[in-house]
Amino acid sequence: MNSTLLLDGTLDADIDHAAELLRAGQLVAFPTETVYGLGADAFSAEAVAAVYRAKERPADNPLIVHLANSAAMERCALVNDAARRLASMFMPGPLTLVLPALDAVPEIVRAGLFTVALRVPDHSVARALIERSGPLVAPSANRSGRPSPTRAEHVMSDLGGRIAAVLDGGPCRVGIESTVLDLSGDEPLLLRPGIVSREEIESVLGLPVRLLAGGDDEAARRSPGTRHRHYAPAIPVRWISSLPTATIEGAMVLMAEPVVELPGVVVHPLDAATLFARFREAEMLGLSEILIIADPDRLPAGLVDRLRRATGDHLP
Ligand code: TXA
Ligand code: MG
C-alpha cells in the first residue's frame, strides 16, 4: 500500500467511506476521546493480523474491541454484574473492561488469552463509525513503542503508507489511554491506570481494587501490555521536583501549574491532554531532552503512570 487517505470526521460521507473500507477488511485509524485507534473488523482474523503487522506489535499483546454501546458487550463476553454496574456509570467513556471471552471473538484479538477487553468510546465520530462498521479492534494508532497519537497528523507520521485511511476528528480530549480493569477473576484488578480513577471504580463496586504492579510474573500473565516498552519519545525524559539551577538550554520543560517562563527554553504546562503531542513536538524541534517539573503526589494517577514509563521509572 502506498498512500493513506485522509478523511474528514465532520463529513458524513467520509465516515461512510471509512466504514466501507473497514467492512472490506482494511485498516482505518479513527479518533476517540483518549487517543487515535487503529481500527479493523474485530471478527475478521485476517484484518486483525494486518493490525499487528502495520504497528509492528508483538503477537502476545492483545487488542481492545470497541463497541457502539455497552449492550453490544454481550456479543463478545460473559458479562457479569460488576461489569454492568461500571458500564452504566462509565460507558461511553475512557474505561476498558476485561471479561471472559465468547468464542465469537477470534483468538488473535485476545493473543490466546481466555479474556477479551471491551470499551465504548465517548466520541461522536468513533461511535458513528462503529455503528456503521460493527465492532472494531483498535490499539493506539502509533508504531509499537512510540507515544500514542492524539492528532491525525501523528497517525500519518507513524503509519502513513501502511494503512488505508485516517479519519480526522481533531485533537483528542483526554490524551492518555483508557483505564483497563480486569473483571474476569475473583477480585477486580487495575491493569492500566487512566482518567477513570481507581477510587471512582471502588466507589461504584463497593470493593477494593488492586493495582497490578508491573514487572512481576502475574503482571506479565494478566496484562501482557506491561511487558513492552511504551510511551517513550526518541529523546530522554527526565523528571525533577523543582527548577534546575544549571543551564537547561535545548530542553523542553513541561511544568505543573504555576508555569513560569525560563529564558531561552521552550516551556509548556504539563497535562494529560497534551503530553504525547509535546513528546512528539520536542522530537520534531530536535531538542535534546524533555524535563518534567512537578510533584508526583499532586498529579492524577494516570498521568503519573505515563510519566513513569517515559522516564524509565525515575521519579523525582
Ligand atoms: O484508550 C484506549 O484504550 C486506546 C483507544 C484507541 O481506545 N486504545 C489502546 O489500545 O490504548 P492499546 O492496544 O494500545 O492498549 C491496550 C491495552 C494493552 O496494554 C493490552 O495489553 C491490554 O489493553 N489488553 C487488551 N486485551 C487484554 C486482555 N484480554 N487482558 C488483559 N489486558 C488486555
Ligand atoms: Mg498502545
Side-chain angles (χ1 to χ4, degrees):
M1 189 180 309
N2 25 44
S3 78
T4 296
L5 209 55
L6 184 62
L7 298 171
D8 181 345
T10 65
L11 301 178
D12 217 45
D14 279 21
I15 299 179
D16 269 337
H17 189 173
E20 229 170 79
L21 290 167
L22 288 161
R23 285 196 306 269
Q26 308 256 19
L27 309 186
V28 178
F30 63 95
T32 80
E33 80 280 31
T34 57
V35 302
Y36 276 75
L38 178 57
D41 179 351
F43 297 119
S44 161
E46 223 172 288
V48 177
V51 167
Y52 283 90
R53 283 198 301 274
K55 277 185 57 95
E56 298 171 28
R57 182 179 179 98
D60 62 355
N61 194 4
L63 304 177
I64 300 172
V65 177
H66 291 60
L67 305 165
N69 53 62
S70 63
M73 291 198 297
E74 315 276 349
R75 279 180 70 189
C76 300
L78 277 176
V79 181
N80 55 36
D81 194 47
R84 281 195 195 93
R85 295 228 300 276
L86 288 167
S88 73
M89 290 297 293
F90 300 115
M91 289 186 176
L95 176 66
T96 295
L97 299 178
V98 173
L99 293 165
L102 297 182
D103 289 341
V105 181
E107 197 169 308
I108 187 170
V109 171
R110 304 177 266 125
L113 298 176
F114 78 98
T115 55
V116 62
L118 302 174
R119 131 166 166 82
V120 179
D122 184 16
H123 192 291
S124 57
V125 175
R127 290 173 73 195
L129 179 67
I130 298 166
E131 272 162 16
R132 296 168 206 197
S133 66
L136 299 176
V137 293
S140 51
N142 50 285
R143 279 225 209 161
S144 203
R146 300 275 300 139
S148 290
T150 54
R151 293 171 173 268
E153 70 213 51
H154 302 160
V155 180
M156 277 294 185
S157 103
D158 274 18
L159 299 177
R162 298 179 164 222
I163 63 177
V166 180
L167 186 55
D168 189 350
C172 300
R173 173 170 59 79
V174 173
I176 61 173
E177 308 83 352
S178 61
T179 304
V180 180
L181 182 74
D182 187 344
L183 292 174
S184 69
D186 298 336
E187 54 167 357
L189 267 184
L190 189 60
L191 302 184
R192 181 172 71 185
I195 291 304
V196 174
S197 71
R198 179 180 180 177
E199 293 74 20
E200 285 177 284
I201 294 168
E202 288 180 331
S203 88
V204 172
L205 294 181
L207 280 173
V209 170
R210 186 153 66 90
L211 172 64
L212 194 62
D216 62 7
D217 279 0
E218 188 190 13
R221 198 160 26 83
R222 301 289 290 262
S223 179
T226 61
R227 267 200 295 261
H228 305 289
R229 189 179 139 88
H230 255 111
Y231 314 116
I235 55 177
V237 183
R238 202 149 56 87
W239 194 351
I240 54 186
S241 52
S242 58
L243 279 178
T245 46
T247 170
I248 49 171
E249 237 170 276
M252 173 184 278
V253 173
L254 300 179
M255 199 183 292
E257 301 290 348
V259 175
V260 299
E261 277 184 43
L262 301 172
V265 182
V266 185
V267 183
H268 294 297
L270 172 68
D271 70 65
T274 54
L275 181 72
F276 293 145
R278 293 301 181 202
F279 284 178
R280 286 175 183 262
E281 181 189 332
E283 286 175 4
M284 297 275 287
L285 292 172
L287 299 177
S288 57
E289 66 171 345
I290 299 166
L291 277 178
I292 309 292
I293 304 180
D295 174 357
D297 294 335
R298 303 182 66 172
L299 298 178
L303 180 54
V304 173
D305 174 78
R306 302 317 184 269
L307 290 171
R308 262 181 194 283
R309 292 166 188 270
T311 57
D313 228 349
H314 292 297
L315 270 69

